[in-house]
Amino acid sequence: MNKILIVLKIALIFIICTTITFGQNNNPKIYKLQVSSIFVGGTSTISVIDALTQTITNSFSIPISGDKMELSKNQKRAFISSRVGSNSNNSPGLVMVDLEQGNFRGIFPGENVYKTKVSPDNILWVLLGDENKIFLLNPDTLSPIAIIDKDKVQRPTDIVFSPDGKKAYISQTTFKGLEAFPIIGIFDTNTLRLVDSISGLPSTSPVVQRPKELAISPDGQTLAIGTKNVVNIINTQSLQIVNKFQFSTFSNFDFVELQFFSDSNTLYIGENGGESIYIYSVLDKNFKKIFIISDLATSIQEIQITPDNKIIYIIDFRGRYILDGENNSKIISIRDGLLGNVAGAIAGDFTIGQAPLLQTILPSANQLLLPNQQYTIAWQTTVQPQSFSIASHMIELSTDGGTTFNAIPGAEQLKADAQSFIWQVPNINTTKAQIRVSTVDLGARRASSTTANFTISGNGNGGDTQPPTVNFNSPIGGEKFNSGDSLQINWTSSDNVGVTSQDLSLSTDGGSTFPITLATGLPGSTQSFMYQIPMSLQSDQTRLKLVVRDAAGNSTQAITANNFSIVLGADTIAPTVVISQPTPGQIAIAGQPIQVKWQSTDNRAVANQALLLSVNGGKTFTQIASFGATDSSFVFNSSNINQLDLTTPQAIVKITATDSTGNKGEANSLFSIAPAITNATYQAKVLTITGIGFMSNVNNNVRLFVNDKEVTLTPSGVSNTSFTIKANKKKLNIVKGNNTVKLVVDGVSSNSFSFQF
């Protein structure tokens, strides 16, 4: 109750602005937040963009700054939070914007709000990282519901919910001296009780301690946490880190943007304040760069995925890029304002509408075109009612009756309103020429139309005998790169008709051989390639070769003129260890063998491993065995470890793995060792129980239960294999016929054993 009163005492600033009705419907929309300054005293503009046309339909300004935006489920309110600046009374805190009336309220003034999130059950969670508190509010009335206080959270910075809404995963920070370490607290959203936590994550910057961005897969099986250029992948069932990867980043801040795609396998990673977008495959652990912002003076701010999981929006400081989620290709880039876009939100039905209609008009069937003439290709594109507008067109040529097509130079990405193109007919002879015109709309829907066969022929023309031309622009030789880097390869290739395919390969022996294939069958329009250099690759005689072909079979190759070098980069990534046996919470039997299984992996190679055991809950560990790089199993037994005969309430097996540069990774698995009863008799008023594990590694506190009732009499003798107690049957709860006995040693129960009296 006191916590509720605290919330009620928080000042609410209510400022009525010019009333602007946004109108609520379920058409697809983009809400854009643009600020004049990210610091205290700046102003913000919220714009509503019609996703069908990418035009701004409404906007208004408010005299506050912010850097994140969350929408209410009914799209009637936007919550703008600020995680920058200092704890000043002028800090905006959290601002609720009424998107129907244009009013707004300031909540938690003077506080840094790290994150707001509306839960699946429609509760607004507000993370005040500096205050070590999380407030739960009604998003419609802003009335308080509950508080999670500093006794449960430490500097909360980000939050995601399980798909069923029953769990909240909250990233936090703990400190060891000046070093900051992320942890993830797992809360029951019904009781708000902390039910589990995830630790063992790498330390973060001691200066900027906030970035611990979270993303959870739609199936709820995988959790990702990012800190600038390191991302950890966690299995939500075992709560174990199953993979970790690091990448080069040009981000100006210690933030990273994370979003899972609908397949629960693909994770998008963006450099917040940088220029690159990556994807990571959970299944095959493949990581690669897919997109680079090409504009100057801009940087990535957010990644948003549409509710239908078809379109990827990359919000940058000048506008946004739209990618097709099926192939990660760029649909269009939009620049609709000055610098200052910092956040976006997506809502509405992105499945509405239909694909555009497209029909080629010229050239017509069996038409004769002369080589080297200028000819106007014509088509008609129609946008269907209540559908997405056109983004661009592309024109391709086939010279084999439609078996293969190649983009016509200069027609790879024509404007949305283009309905014709002046084409320089190539100097070839063919009776099976076809033109294919394709279009893509702003909703990633595609349409195409292909002409019937027509002829390109000129008297005395012997066909295309001119080979393509190709030159490397970078690298050209003399450069030095690190293993693990992303190597940008650029070239210029062209042909009098058109390049049809390109093959790229790499040599580590100065060009004598090219055994490493980087890419085959690249389209003719491709003029660059990003190669992720393997961590194990090194050579001072590296060269590249590009083979370029046209439709007539003419080919040309280029080889970089001089060698360039690849040196081993600094390895700062520790090995990853996953223990599969014993499983957490497993109960072993005293004196019985215990199977240990694990798997150690590293970005380069594991050098050595060690197995350690603690029988006192982790206070001390004893190294049991050491291994090479590939070992993955070991069996504990009484012959190599004496303590296995004793009961252990908290035993911990630890596996450490070290790579050649000294980076060490480890994993623990907590289990217990239980006593076992093999025989019990009652004769001459003496109950005798035999077995193993009747003594422990801790306190030797032994409790006797007869027929499920505890006997509190003092035993006459206790050893690790025998327990005796003298008393009449009444005091021992023994009855005529069948009886059961059980021993509980330091809280660990034995089996129940039956005997006759």
Side-chain angles (χ1 to χ4, degrees):
M1 189 63 174
N2 289 334
K3 293 182 178 181
I4 300 298
L5 292 176
I6 293 172
V7 183
L8 293 173
K9 291 178 181 178
I10 294 174
L12 296 180
I13 304 170
F14 184 74
I15 306 172
I16 300 179
C17 304
T18 303
T19 298
I20 299 177
T21 301
F22 278 69
Q24 298 299 320
N25 56 54
N26 206 33
N27 286 344
K29 303 181 194 68
I30 305 161
Y31 295 83
K32 181 182 71 170
L33 178 65
Q34 185 175 7
V35 297
S36 62
S37 171
I38 62 174
F39 299 105
V40 172
T43 61
S44 299
T45 300
I46 296 180
S47 301
V48 179
I49 299 169
D50 182 351
L52 296 178
T53 61
Q54 292 297 319
T55 56
I56 297 175
T57 60
N58 221 331
S59 65
F60 69 96
S61 298
I62 49 179
I64 59 94
S65 62
D67 66 347
K68 288 293 180 183
M69 180 165 56
E70 173 82 356
L71 289 180
S72 63
K73 288 185 176 298
N74 58 13
Q75 302 174 46
K76 293 183 179 181
R77 290 171 175 79
F79 301 96
I80 301 174
S81 57
S82 175
R83 61 180 177 187
V84 293
S86 61
N87 287 339
S88 163
N89 289 332
N90 295 322
S91 177
L94 175 66
V95 176
M96 184 280 290
V97 181
D98 188 325
L99 296 177
E100 289 190 317
Q101 301 300 321
N103 304 328
F104 61 90
R105 292 185 185 182
I107 314 164
F108 307 110
E111 301 292 346
N112 277 324
V113 178
Y114 286 6
K115 190 66 177 280
T116 59
K117 193 75 172 179
V118 177
S119 65
D121 58 351
N122 198 34
I123 295 176
L124 180 65
W125 293 55
V126 183
L127 278 58
L128 300 184
D130 296 338
E131 293 296 314
N132 297 321
K133 293 179 181 178
I134 300 175
F135 289 85
L136 279 67
L137 307 178
N138 183 314
D140 299 320
T141 64
L142 300 182
S143 58
I145 296 174
I147 297 177
I148 300 176
D149 216 330
K150 59 185 178 182
D151 59 333
K152 294 183 180 178
V153 290
Q154 304 174 62
R155 295 184 67 84
T157 54
D158 199 9
I159 179 172
V160 293
F161 297 98
S162 59
D164 60 10
K166 294 181 179 180
K167 292 180 181 178
Y169 298 86
I170 301 173
S171 59
Q172 305 165 60
T173 301
T174 59
F175 294 93
K176 294 181 180 178
L178 295 177
E179 202 167 7
F181 290 89
I183 60 172
I184 301 174
I186 306 173
F187 288 80
D188 185 311
T189 56
N190 183 37
T191 64
L192 302 185
R193 185 171 60 88
L194 179 67
V195 296
D196 221 324
S197 62
I198 302 169
S199 58
L201 300 167
S203 61
T204 60
S205 166
V207 179
V208 183
Q209 297 155 0
R210 297 175 185 166
K212 288 163 284 292
E213 317 298 340
L214 297 173
I216 191 166
S217 59
D219 63 7
Q221 298 295 309
T222 307
L223 183 70
I225 179 171
T227 54
K228 190 173 181 176
N229 63 340
V230 177
V231 177
N232 283 268
I233 305 298
I234 300 167
N235 182 287
T236 58
Q237 302 302 307
S238 65
L239 302 184
Q240 298 292 313
I241 299 172
V242 296
N243 197 25
K244 174 177 64 177
F245 55 88
Q246 186 173 356
F247 55 95
S248 301
T249 177
F250 295 98
S251 172
N252 297 322
F253 311 109
D254 273 4
F255 301 109
V256 62
E257 296 296 322
L258 302 174
Q259 285 281 356
F260 270 101
F261 200 55
S262 59
D263 58 7
S264 293
N265 175 58
T266 305
L267 175 67
Y268 287 83
I269 306 106
E271 302 172 345
N272 187 299
E275 61 181 11
S276 298
I277 298 289
Y278 305 83
I279 59 172
Y280 169 77
S281 171
V282 175
L283 294 178
D284 58 23
K285 298 185 178 181
N286 182 42
F287 173 78
K288 64 180 179 180
K289 184 181 293 186
I290 62 165
F291 189 74
I292 299 177
I293 290 182
S294 57
D295 293 3
L296 297 176
T298 189
S299 59
I300 296 168
Q301 303 297 305
E302 271 193 344
I303 303 172
Q304 295 280 345
I305 300 179
T306 58
D308 65 342
N309 288 296
K310 189 174 180 64
I311 310 169
I312 315 298
Y313 281 88
I314 303 172
I315 311 297
D316 71 356
F317 214 49
R318 293 184 59 198
R320 58 199 171 278
Y321 287 83
I322 304 177
L323 305 186
D324 187 335
E326 292 184 356
N327 53 27
N328 296 310
S329 62
K330 186 180 83 170
I331 296 174
I332 197 170
S333 62
I334 298 172
R335 298 292 174 258
D336 55 6
L338 300 175
L339 294 176
N341 297 305
V342 296
I346 294 173
D349 183 8
F350 279 76
T351 66
I352 68 172
Q354 303 176 61
L357 302 176
L358 192 149
Q359 181 63 50
T360 55
I361 300 173
L362 294 174
S364 56
N366 301 316
Q367 186 173 352
L368 173 64
L369 302 185
L370 299 177
N372 300 314
Q373 76 173 119
Q374 286 192 336
Y375 181 82
T376 300
I377 301 170
W379 66 92
Q380 184 176 26
T381 306
T382 303
V383 176
Q384 302 200 64
Q386 195 64 15
S387 299
F388 288 89
S389 298
I390 300 300
S392 64
H393 293 86
M394 179 176 68
I395 308 176
E396 300 166 285
L397 170 67
S398 173
T399 58
D400 53 14
T403 302
T404 60
F405 283 90
N406 293 284
I408 293 176
E412 296 94 340
Q413 194 168 28
L414 300 175
K415 292 182 178 181
D417 59 356
Q419 300 288 274
S420 64
F421 177 77
I422 299 177
W423 176 39
Q424 184 76 25
V425 180
N427 185 20
I428 59 174
N429 281 329
T430 178
T431 59
K432 295 182 178 181
Q434 292 184 5
I435 289 291
R436 180 168 68 191
V437 182
S438 304
T439 187
V440 60
D441 66 18
L442 296 171
R445 295 179 173 90
R446 300 177 183 273
S448 64
S449 177
T450 305
T451 67
N453 286 347
F454 60 92
T455 299
I456 301 174
S457 180
N459 292 332
N461 191 308
D464 179 17
T465 60
Q466 182 176 335
T469 60
V470 59
N471 290 288
F472 277 107
N473 298 330
S474 64
I476 58 175
E479 300 91 345
K480 181 181 288 186
F481 303 96
N482 292 324
S483 58
D485 282 354
S486 296
L487 173 59
Q488 178 70 46
I489 305 168
N490 299 292
W491 66 86
T492 302
S493 61
S494 61
D495 186 66
N496 62 312
V497 178
V499 174
T500 58
S501 68
Q502 305 177 97
D503 300 337
L504 184 63
S505 56
L506 182 140
S507 170
T508 57
D509 57 12
S512 297
T513 62
F514 288 85
I516 303 176
T517 299
L518 305 190
T520 58
L522 292 172
S525 59
T526 300
Q527 301 289 278
S528 65
F529 184 81
M530 183 71 72
Y531 174 52
Q532 191 74 33
I533 304 175
M535 292 295 293
S536 58
L537 180 62
Q538 60 176 330
S539 172
D540 58 1
Q541 300 184 70
T542 316
R543 295 198 185 197
L544 294 165
K545 179 173 72 174
L546 184 70
V547 179
V548 181
R549 301 178 180 83
D550 65 16
N554 304 307
S555 66
T556 302
Q557 73 174 28
I559 298 175
T560 46
N562 298 291
N563 296 333
F564 59 92
S565 300
I566 297 174
V567 299
L568 284 177
D571 182 9
T572 60
I573 301 177
T576 298
V577 182
V578 177
I579 299 175
S580 55
Q581 282 187 258
T583 58
Q586 179 177 325
I587 300 175
I589 303 301
Q592 296 297 311
I594 300 174
Q595 176 73 59
V596 183
K597 291 185 178 180
W598 71 92
Q599 188 69 45
S600 298
T601 58
D602 188 61
N603 59 311
R604 289 185 179 168
V606 173
N608 56 76
Q609 305 175 92
L611 184 152
L612 300 90
L613 177 67
S614 172
V615 294
N616 54 15
K619 293 179 181 179
T620 60
F621 280 89
T622 300
Q623 181 167 323
I624 304 302
S626 59
F627 308 100
T630 59
D631 292 273
S632 60
S633 67
F634 185 82
V635 177
F636 291 133
N637 55 57
S638 300
S639 64
N640 53 32
I641 303 173
N642 294 331
Q643 296 98 323
L644 292 185
D645 289 340
L646 303 176
T647 288
T648 305
Q650 288 187 319
I652 301 175
V653 62
K654 175 187 291 187
I655 302 292
T656 65
T658 307
D659 63 19
S660 59
T661 57
N663 298 308
K664 179 180 288 186
E666 65 178 45
N668 298 329
S669 185
L670 176 67
F671 65 101
S672 59
I673 301 176
I677 299 174
T678 57
N679 193 34
T681 60
Y682 182 63
Q683 294 178 348
K685 297 185 179 181
V686 176
L687 175 62
T688 303
I689 302 173
T690 57
I692 193 169
F694 297 167
M695 301 182 73
S696 81
N697 288 290
V698 187
N699 298 318
N700 290 321
N701 178 17
V702 183
R703 299 166 62 194
L704 169 64
F705 291 82
V706 178
N707 295 324
D708 296 326
K709 293 183 180 181
E710 184 172 6
V711 176
T712 59
L713 301 175
T714 302
S716 53
V718 179
S719 70
N720 194 47
T721 57
S722 176
F723 178 97
T724 59
I725 187 168
K726 186 174 183 179
N728 60 44
K729 63 179 182 180
K730 183 176 181 181
K731 291 182 178 181
L732 292 176
N733 299 321
I734 294 176
V735 298
K736 189 170 181 63
N738 188 63
N739 294 268
T740 62
V741 291
K742 178 175 68 177
L743 293 177
V744 177
V745 182
D746 281 351
V748 183
S749 176
S750 74
N751 58 309
S752 290
F753 187 87
S754 298
F755 69 95
Q756 295 292 321
F757 173 69

